[in-house]
């Protein structure tokens, strides 16, 4: 599906690409945004005893990008709808992101989650694992990835990669996991600005549990100079939430679906805002 949206004029922005806790100046960067780190930095070895530590917010004066001055995120139940469809995407070189089961063997995530931080190259498919319902070291399903597809035109790298509008990936698992109720459909219709959405993932300051902003809204669609489309939102999320689904009610009200995949956040740490690739653009050429 091609979206009819205005083309944004290119203009310079101050932004950076994050690897863990380092900020590396890019040679090119998505407008008004920085990519979430594929490697989310864990606060320590997770265990049931350290579960409360996962709920701690970043220290005052040390705001994480994309959260905003007032942190609205809350811990959510990974066994409840629609969160039971989410899981952690992990690579054997240490990358951690969020993914969503959109078919029994298909996981949606961000393409930059598949890039090795040191080499700047895509990792081998079989070095990627999906842990459905991950919570404090436990999960309801696990499968290795056997192949994946990324957005046309997405180029990996160390200091820069993109474009952001092509920053999506569909992972094919070695076997089906999860019951039918764990699968969330892609909502291909054009989302309306102001529509209520939710965004949750395994984030840098809470990597062992799902935390989510359940009261945010969609912004406008813009077409970048590359021809790719991005969807703005005001959800609070930071590194590690890359690949997380933008969740909205289905048009018939029967349940939840995915309207986009989170790929970037505004560099200003005092503002809760970011961009997603809309579901209509996933699996399509710009």
């Amino acid at each position: 599906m091609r979206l009819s949206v205005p083309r944004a004029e290119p203009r310079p922005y101050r932004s950076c690409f994050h690897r863990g806790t380092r900020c590396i100046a890019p040679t090119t960067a998505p407008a008004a945004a920085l990519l979430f780190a594929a490697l989310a930095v864990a606060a320590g070895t997770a265990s049931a005893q350290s579960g409360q530590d996962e709920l701690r917010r970043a220290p005052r004066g040390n705001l994480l990008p994309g959260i905003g001055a007032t942190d609205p995120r809350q811990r959510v139940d990974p066994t409840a709808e629609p969160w039971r469809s989410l899981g952690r995407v992990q690579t054997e070189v240490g990358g951690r992101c969020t993914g969503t089961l959109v078919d029994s063997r298909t996981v949606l995530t961000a393409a930059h989650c598949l890039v090795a931080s040191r080499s700047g190259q895509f990792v081998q498919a079989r070095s990627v694992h999906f842990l459905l319902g991950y919570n404090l070291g436990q999960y309801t399903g696990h499968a290795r990835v056997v192949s994946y597809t990324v957005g046309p035109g997405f180029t990996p790298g160390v200091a820069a990669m993109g474009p952001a509008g092509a920053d999506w990936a569909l992972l094919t698992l070695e076997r089906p996991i999860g019951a039918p109720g764990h699968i969330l459909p892609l909502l291909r219709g054009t989302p309306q600005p102001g529509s209520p959405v939710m965004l949750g993932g395994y984030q840098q300051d809470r990597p062992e549990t799902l935390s989510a902003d359940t009261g945010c809204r969609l912004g406008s669609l813009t077409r970048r100079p590359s021809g790719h489309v991005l969807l703005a939102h005001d959800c609070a999320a930071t590194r590690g939430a890359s690949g997380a689904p933008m969740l909205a009610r289905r048009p018939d009200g029967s349940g939840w679906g995915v309207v986009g995949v989170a790929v970037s956040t505004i560099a200003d740490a005092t503002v809760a805002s970011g961009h997603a690739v809309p579901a209509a653009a996933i699996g399509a050429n710009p």
Side-chain angles (χ1 to χ4, degrees):
M1 177 183 296
R2 296 186 64 86
L3 300 176
S4 178
V5 296
R7 181 177 294 275
E9 294 298 323
R11 51 179 177 164
Y13 288 90
R14 296 187 62 187
S15 60
C16 60
F17 175 78
H18 283 268
R19 290 285 189 193
T21 56
R22 283 195 304 137
C23 181
I24 305 171
T27 54
T28 58
L34 55 94
L35 288 172
F36 288 124
L39 175 61
V41 178
T45 302
S47 66
Q49 289 74 24
S50 65
Q52 291 302 315
D53 292 337
E54 297 302 331
L55 303 181
R56 292 182 300 183
R57 286 161 169 72
R60 185 177 297 276
N62 187 28
L63 298 176
L64 292 169
I67 299 300
T70 302
D71 188 350
R73 297 173 301 161
Q74 57 186 294
R75 184 173 177 176
V76 294
D77 182 356
T79 66
E81 186 186 13
W83 309 112
R84 63 190 179 190
S85 304
L86 278 64
R88 202 156 81 170
V89 175
Q90 296 189 179
T91 71
E92 293 176 0
V93 294
R96 297 176 185 169
C97 280
T98 304
T100 310
L101 201 62
V102 295
D103 202 347
S104 61
R105 290 185 60 202
T106 307
V107 172
L108 173 65
T109 190
H112 74 261
C113 296
L114 306 174
V115 178
S117 59
R118 291 188 177 182
S119 69
Q121 300 299 311
F122 285 120
V123 299
Q124 295 294 317
R126 293 194 67 85
S127 70
V128 184
H129 300 256
F130 181 63
L131 307 177
L132 180 65
Y134 184 89
N135 185 60
L136 296 173
Q138 304 296 314
Y139 40 86
T140 58
H142 164 252
R144 190 184 293 268
V145 174
V146 294
S147 64
Y148 58 76
T149 301
V150 302
F154 184 84
T155 302
V158 175
M161 63 180 79
D167 193 0
W168 57 264
L170 292 171
L171 315 179
T172 300
L173 305 178
E174 61 186 350
R175 58 182 176 81
I177 63 172
H182 288 86
I183 296 170
L184 287 176
L186 294 175
L187 303 181
R188 301 284 189 175
T190 303
Q192 296 299 311
S195 299
V197 289
M198 303 191 297
L199 176 62
Y202 299 94
Q203 305 182 41
Q204 175 184 329
D205 54 338
R206 309 171 187 181
E208 295 296 316
T209 58
L210 267 176
S211 56
D213 185 345
T214 60
C216 45
R217 293 185 179 275
L218 294 178
S220 60
L221 284 165
T222 57
R223 189 177 296 278
R224 308 311 306 158
S226 65
H228 297 90
V229 175
L230 283 176
L231 176 62
H233 63 82
D234 67 358
C235 301
T238 193
R239 308 164 193 142
S242 290
M246 302 292 307
L247 298 170
R249 288 286 185 182
R250 301 182 201 181
D252 61 3
S254 62
W256 295 89
V258 179
V259 294
V261 57
V263 297
S264 65
T265 183
I266 299 300
D268 185 352
T270 65
V271 177
S273 185
H275 289 94
V277 177
I282 296 169
N285 289 314

